[in-house]
Amino acid sequence: MHKKTIPLEYANSLIYELEKAFYDERGKGARFLMTTLGREFFRKSVLPAIQSPDVDHILDVVRQVLVSQGIVAEVSFSREERLIRVQIAGCIHCPVEEHMLACGVEPLACLPANLMVLGIEEKLDLPVELAEIRVENGVCNLLLIVFDHRPSLD
């Protein structure tokens, strides 16, 4: 059986249409429901490479996987206590976010950010929120917030 690929423009147009439909249905609340996008890829490609429950290690593994798979050209991050600022350049999904912005809708999802969130949540059992997605000149600037513990009703 031969391996068939689809054009990236086609895939991104489908992602845009799904995100936009979800936004039309749920508004800004859709962002919090899209945080698990990429979970299957995370389990297969990222999780096996995470060898330490250290945030910097987790972020670096995600960066390495994203770059080696050709999903992004570059990822940089800085940490300040509970805040993680991430810059992503050359992401194959950036046209989706730019299209959302052109239609007057804030970007709802960032698949590379989701992989970082999934890694921290899986290895450290700490909740993480993708608080901001800004796109400037083809570079996504993200803000992740790592919380101290999972909320409970106890």
Side-chain angles (χ1 to χ4, degrees):
M1 185 169 170
H2 77 289
K3 195 174 191 177
K4 187 173 183 169
T5 61
I6 61 171
L8 181 58
E9 185 177 348
Y10 173 75
N12 277 339
S13 71
L14 292 177
I15 293 170
Y16 163 78
E17 290 170 7
L18 289 168
E19 280 189 34
K20 181 70 168 72
F22 206 28
Y23 176 83
D24 291 343
E25 178 71 25
R26 300 286 181 191
K28 289 184 179 182
R31 174 182 280 179
F32 301 103
L33 300 170
M34 299 185 76
T35 58
T36 60
L37 290 177
R39 182 173 285 176
E40 187 66 24
F41 181 81
F42 170 79
R43 286 186 180 137
K44 288 181 179 179
S45 301
V46 178
L47 186 57
I50 298 175
Q51 302 299 314
S52 166
D54 173 72
V55 173
D56 288 333
H57 170 74
I58 293 165
L59 297 173
D60 194 50
V61 167
V62 172
R63 180 192 61 75
Q64 290 172 19
V65 170
L66 290 169
V67 170
S68 71
Q69 294 282 329
I71 297 167
V72 304
E74 188 177 329
V75 176
S76 60
F77 59 88
S78 63
R79 291 183 48 216
E80 183 181 316
E81 296 183 29
R82 298 179 335 158
L83 303 179
I84 303 171
R85 297 183 191 286
V86 182
Q87 286 192 317
I88 299 176
C91 179
I92 62 172
H93 299 299
C94 191
V96 174
E97 315 326 324
E98 290 171 335
H99 194 175
M100 295 289 283
L101 287 167
C103 293
V105 178
E106 283 183 35
L108 298 176
C110 173
L111 299 174
N114 285 0
L115 299 178
M116 295 174 191
V117 168
L118 289 166
I120 294 168
E121 289 183 346
E122 175 80 21
K123 287 298 188 176
L124 301 174
D125 194 32
L126 296 174
V128 182
E129 179 182 324
L130 173 55
E132 182 177 72
I133 303 171
R134 286 184 297 114
V135 181
E136 299 169 342
N137 301 318
V139 175
C140 289
N141 295 285
L142 314 169
L143 177 62
L144 303 176
I145 302 172
V146 180
F147 294 94
D148 293 330
H149 61 280
R150 292 206 177 278
S152 70
L153 298 175
D154 296 341

